[in-house]
Amino acid sequence: MALRPTPINPSQTPTGPTPTLPHDHLLALPRSLLPLLAGVGLAAGLHFYVGPAVGPFYAKLLIDIGIGILLANSLNLVNGLTGQFSIGHAGFMAVGGYTAAAITYYGSMRLWGSPAVHGGFLGSGELLFAGSCIAGGLVAAVAGFIVGLPSLRLRGDYLAIVTLGFGEIIRVLLQQTGDVLLTADQVRETPWWVLPTKAGGALGFTGLPYYTSLFWVYFFVTVVLIVSLRLKHSSLGRAFLSIREDEIAAEAMGIPTTRLKVTAFMLAAFFAGIGGGLFAHEIGVTLNPQDLGFQKSFDIVVMVVLGGMGSISGVTLAGGLLTVLPEILRSLADPAVAGLAAIFPISPQTQDELRQVIGSNFRMILYALALIVMMIGRPQGLFGLHEIWDFRWPGRRRSRLSARGAP
Amino acid sequence: MLASAAALAWLAGTVGLIRPAQAGPDPFQEKPAGEPILIGEYGSLTGPEATFGQSTHNGILLAVEQFNAAGGLNGRKVEVRVYDNRCNIQEVGTVVQRLINQDKVVAVLGEVASSRSIAGGRICQKAGVPMITPSSTNPQVTQIGDMIFRVCFIDSFQGYAAAKFARDNLKMSRVAILYDQAQAYSKGLRDDFKRAFTQMGGAITTEQAYTGGDPDYSAQLNNIRASNPEAVFIPGYYTDAGNIALQARKLGLTIPLIGGDGWDSPELANIAGPAIEGAYYANHYAPDQPTPEVREFVRAYRERFNAVADGMAATGYDAANVLFDAMKRAKSLSGKDLAQAIAETKNFRAVTGTITIDANRNARKPAVIVQMRGGEPRYVATIEPPEQ
Amino acid sequence: MPKFVQTLVDGLSVGSLYALIALGYTMVYGILKFINFAHSDIFVLGAWISLAAAVGAGWSTTGQFLPVPTWLWVSLCGLTGVALLMTAAQRLIARFVHAEPDRLTAQVASAGGCHPSPRAPARGPSVLTGAVRGFLGWRGARTLTMASLAAWLPLLLYHAAGAVRAAAGPELSAAPGGVPICAAGLLSALLVLLCAVSLVGWVGFGIERLAYRPLRTAPRLNVLITAIGVSLLLQNVGQLQWVFGTQPRRMPSLLPDVTLARLAGVNIHLVDVIATGTAVILMLLLERLVFHTRVGRAMRAVSFDTRIAALMGVAVDRVISFTFVLGSSLAAAAGFLYAMKYPGLNQSAHMTWLLLGLKAFVAAVVGGIGNIRGAMLGGFLIGLIELFGAAYLSPQLRDVYVFSLLIAVLLLRPSGILGRVAVEKV
């Protein structure tokens, strides 16, 4: 199975024999693992060479970008491919994050007596962390099932409200949890089913070890990218797209729309849960319920909408760009205000306020305006449903297109 | 694959766009006089809890200006690099990293909210840069490590002070608690007050919870009234305290209200009006305290910012001054030496009392109890920390 | 017993506010078939603008907080001046250039951008020329004049409120709780309400015109996203220091703090009675408008089927704009009443407002979305459930009760209590 995307428009299907291996060929399996291995290699390269070379600040920025890409692609599965409007995604992040945090923290306490980082690269500590992230994703998928099943039966507008409400309920429930246990003895005495209720409440889950590294972030990013790309061009993905285009027609063609919508929802929640786990163990983050609310959900929605709902490359680009936007604005605030002050007479007080507005408030206003203008002017976002390699870039040889049977 | 390659190439370009402020040479080495010393400040200057961050920032700014005007550190001026983290925990990590790695500050003045202080503190501890938090009261903040200090009291002492005042000065034995379940500060202070008050022989009649920002407290207030207390302890922020006072009076509940330092804001009287008259709260300082430091500070603050200095501004001012005092005494400006100098702060006369940093890197100093009279907080009593 | 009556009174009072907001949601959904996320921010805007108007009209002694900025004065004057000039110019042109113009011909001609001369140019005017001529033509001038005159309305009401209050003199003490019952005071409060309502109505009109009308034929998902964008824009612009700022503020009491009656051991306050009473009056007026007037009939027709209504001669665009203005005005009135009942207003991006809007939306859904009587019923129901749940179960989980009700309704009867099960034909 080649990675080259097959075109969506049936008039563009290749007319000639395609140079692919049949599925049961001996060499098919290793070839299909090639992208995954390449991704793992890339992640390792980032972790060992790029990370130390650029310094901790840029490394953290790269981690943030990776998590942003992961979350944006996870939401793309629901909002983009299936066309359902979910705006409570941060709730699934919270579920996954807290599950992963509880497993890592209390697991470390039980196994090694302290919550500090244990073992080196791919050591037992990191494997526990990876396992807990995946467990967090699974729990989030279950939550996605519980939330999705009643609301996906109905019209799309309701899903938005229900997911929003779900995010709020999760926040309230998480705030009721008790203090985090600090010593190994306390952890040993408490039965394991009580431990999840000791998640720190409103203060947050403090004391988590910093396991999130460039390697793990980009490993999971690779997984989600591969899954998304493969899904988009598989029959399941086409079913999703058909639901997005016209749900009633899809139902008429025999596609079980509710079941597939719930599947997409669960898949998205799974990856959001993994994203939450990575977020929880990131350096400088105290996982707390207030920060995984509507604001965060909205940030992810903006990434998906601006990048083009359904376009994986578009969403990836938008996810990365919007993650670093606050930093860019912060860097631009000073020179911008200095430039303005050179033209207009502005008092220092107003300059301070302007600096603050450009650095902070402006971002949200920019997002809101960008959304509105995008929807009116270019609703398909940056790339629409296409990928970055579907466009006719200048310099692209005609022969490649004709080999694919373009008209 | 192409996507990853394209994305990476684009990433490199975008990351290059991020040009943080000029990172000078290593500040720990001796520099010719005239090179400014960079200190960092991170806080929430915008967002839902912006008022506390703004006040703290003003206090720090005033301290820096006064310090520079008095000649600075052997002629070297201090420059404060401030970043706004928008009440967002993910940004706390980014801005603190930026301060430490890009701007290469010698010390960091940190957040109001304890959860954000903890997040930033862990990075500072790992990087070996001392951090002083002006007003985070949760005990976990300084437990992070030996680089993290605090110039305010911790919640356990604040709860003790409020309980002692209620018991000894107001002679109360039955108090109800109304706390904010969405704020760790509120829950922590509730626990500390409860412990101290019951230890002193008092009784907590009922504990009711609300979610910060909720407009309607009638259910909780009715339950409180039914339990027949002599006072209500409200360890929340001023926004809710004002509304609670209004509704309590409307429901006919006239017993005194007691609060913590979260009440401290000029807006409290604006929101609650006459409903808050006669209420008490524990604070870091009172603007009308008769000490010369307070008088001077209030005057200078009013001159510079045309406003009354609240507790956050005072603690910010003190944090900066403690740092400057330590910088004068330190052997060098490296992290370890500076931290040691801060830890050795003894009897430093500050606006919010005489500060001594104890073995847990917390400030050992008294709390004041103020009462709202005429729309302003008026000094009532000082509660000393218990002998240990 | 007193607890029950107290909770009942509070529940009805809060429920009436939820009902007012839910009406806006339901009307927009009925007409345009989408959930207007920005509606709760209109409500917040109404509350804050009433605060600004009240303070500006002199109701608080803490000084002017939001004086009308110079640029607003200048823009309004400039706009009105330009509009009047254009209207006058059009009349002059019509009189001297087109001798004895037929008004209809002149309208059509200038709106189309074509000159009605026998020697018409071979090529039609470019799009730009046509647009400019259309804008400067009769229709453009007329619209602009009406718009700029209407834009003065909130400002005039604001000043009228201030003038009335000043005329009442020093007997209207500014200290909250000390305001005596006074006709001038009530009149001034009413003017503040009308000012807020008219201004926010304008904002609603603007939002519909600029953000929603271009998406009339777009898929619903796009409109939803735009609505979220508008909502965030309103929130964050409201948070700027130059607008409302990040500090919570207190709405001055426009009404005296008197207890009207004592019912079964419970105080009934004037504020509650006025808030609930005003809400009920507005709902009755709306009911009358929608079910007993031509405009209402047009609204109902558009909500049944937009295209057929257009074929029947209903001015669909105007009806939709009118519905938006109506919904926004009701939300603004709800904001004013809310500010009177709970005077401590949080900053515009606070979580509380989001939750309030969500609960009002739940009320609309529970009652049957698209159904006006359902929205009113749903509002009261949600208010009572929330308050009774908070009083008799746990007050911490009041939001959870409302959302559980939403999920239950969606599972069992998605069309709501009074809603019709709509069959979608393909």
Side-chain angles (χ1 to χ4, degrees), chain A residues 101-176:
Chain A
I103 294 177
T104 317
Y105 186 80
Y106 291 120
S108 295
M109 291 284 236
R110 279 272 172 100
L111 289 172
W112 302 303
S114 104
V117 173
H118 185 90
F121 181 65
L122 288 185
S124 42
E126 288 218 347
L127 290 178
L128 174 68
F129 161 67
S132 70
C133 278
I134 296 179
L138 291 171
V139 173
V142 169
F145 178 76
I146 296 174
V147 171
L149 192 59
S151 40
L152 285 166
R153 290 190 297 144
L154 310 161
R155 255 199 278 253
D157 308 1
Y158 292 122
L159 180 69
I161 296 295
V162 169
T163 48
L164 200 59
F166 164 73
E168 288 308 304
I169 293 181
I170 289 286
R171 189 179 55 86
V172 170
L173 291 178
L174 281 173
Q175 275 167 353
Q176 311 292 328

Side-chain angles (χ1 to χ4, degrees), chain A residues 213-278:
Chain A
S213 63
L214 279 166
F215 174 73
W216 285 110
V217 169
Y218 282 94
F219 171 70
F220 284 116
V221 164
T222 314
V223 170
V224 81
L225 283 176
I226 292 177
V227 167
S228 302
L229 278 168
R230 293 255 169 97
L231 191 65
K232 189 172 172 187
H233 297 106
S234 70
S235 55
L236 185 61
R238 282 177 208 268
F240 286 156
L241 286 166
S242 71
I243 297 177
R244 168 195 159 132
E245 294 299 322
D246 192 333
E247 195 171 325
I248 297 177
E251 184 83 44
M253 296 314 268
I255 292 177
T257 47
T258 308
R259 186 153 63 89
L260 286 188
K261 282 196 280 189
V262 175
T263 309
F265 208 65
M266 284 173 66
L267 204 57
F270 174 73
F271 284 114
I274 293 185
L278 290 171

Side-chain angles (χ1 to χ4, degrees), chain C residues 37-122:
Chain C
F37 274 108
H39 194 66
S40 67
D41 298 285
I42 300 277
F43 161 69
V44 176
L45 193 66
W48 274 93
I49 295 219
S50 356
L51 168 68
V55 169
W59 279 96
S60 165
T61 50
T62 54
Q64 288 283 349
F65 138 77
L66 200 69
V68 181
T70 323
W71 59 263
L72 188 62
W73 279 113
V74 169
S75 329
L76 279 178
C77 289
L79 191 66
T80 316
V82 164
L84 290 172
L85 270 175
M86 276 168 45
T87 322
Q90 268 301 312
R91 282 187 181 264
L92 280 174
I93 291 174
R95 175 157 309 168
F96 290 114
V97 174
H98 318 297
E100 292 294 331
D102 174 30
R103 190 131 152 245
L104 183 61
T105 317
Q107 254 180 295
V108 168
S110 49
C114 296
H115 198 74
S117 93
R119 282 179 295 132

Side-chain angles (χ1 to χ4, degrees), chain C residues 160-247:
Chain C
V164 167
R165 193 201 172 286
E171 68 235 30
L172 269 189
S173 151
V179 180
I181 297 186
C182 166
L186 285 176
L187 179 64
S188 181
L190 184 66
L191 287 171
V192 165
L193 167 63
L194 288 176
C195 168
V197 161
S198 58
L199 187 60
V200 177
W202 256 122
V203 173
F205 175 78
I207 290 175
E208 194 272 328
R209 198 70 183 70
L210 295 171
Y212 298 150
R213 188 177 292 192
L215 297 171
R216 195 65 71 70
T217 50
R220 278 223 313 277
L221 191 58
N222 297 8
V223 194
L224 271 179
I225 296 175
T226 312
I228 292 197
V230 171
S231 162
L232 273 153
L233 188 67
L234 285 173
Q235 279 176 11
N236 284 286
V237 167
Q239 239 196 347
L240 291 175
Q241 282 301 116
W242 308 314
V243 187
F244 300 131
T246 51
Q247 285 267 30

